[in-house]
Amino acid sequence: MKNRFREKSIRLAQMIEGEYVKAGRHSRGFWEKGLAVLAEAGMPAVLTEIGFISNREEESYLLSDEGQQEIVNNLVSALKIYKNSVER
């Protein structure tokens, strides 16, 4: 399936990954997958993997208030950057 928002979705994914890296998270890169849930979206769409609960250290981070707040801040920051880049 071709997503008419493919380029914008890739740009958004790059911005989210960049915010994770700025916060000191390990970069796992990003991949393009043909997932129906993304392809059918009427807007730029991404799925983000924020960690692995099978890793004790990451599980602790994901369960902590600080870790959750940091992830939210990264996502909000990336969305703001994306929105500002699209409006110009």
Side-chain angles (χ1 to χ4, degrees):
M1 287 186 225
K2 283 284 185 186
N3 180 342
R4 66 186 178 129
F5 296 99
R6 179 179 172 269
E7 289 180 24
K8 290 180 179 181
S9 296
I10 290 170
R11 188 170 357 146
L12 177 57
Q14 290 171 326
M15 291 175 181
I16 291 170
E17 182 73 9
E19 290 303 304
Y20 289 159
V21 169
K22 280 189 217 175
R25 303 284 293 154
H26 174 71
S27 174
R28 294 179 180 92
F30 65 93
W31 299 271
E32 200 174 344
K33 302 269 183 167
L35 302 173
V37 67
L38 297 179
E40 295 297 321
M43 65 191 80
V46 299
L47 290 175
T48 181
E49 188 172 80
I50 54 174
F52 300 97
I53 60 172
S54 58
N55 176 303
R56 288 182 192 260
E57 186 177 315
E58 287 191 2
E59 179 185 27
S60 294
Y61 170 78
L62 294 170
L63 291 173
S64 73
D65 290 339
E66 296 82 14
Q68 291 174 18
Q69 189 60 56
E70 183 176 76
I71 292 164
V72 169
N73 291 343
N74 293 158
L75 293 170
V76 169
S77 179
L79 288 168
K80 285 179 180 178
I81 294 166
Y82 174 82
K83 185 176 184 302
N84 288 334
S85 74
V86 172
E87 290 179 348
R88 293 180 184 175

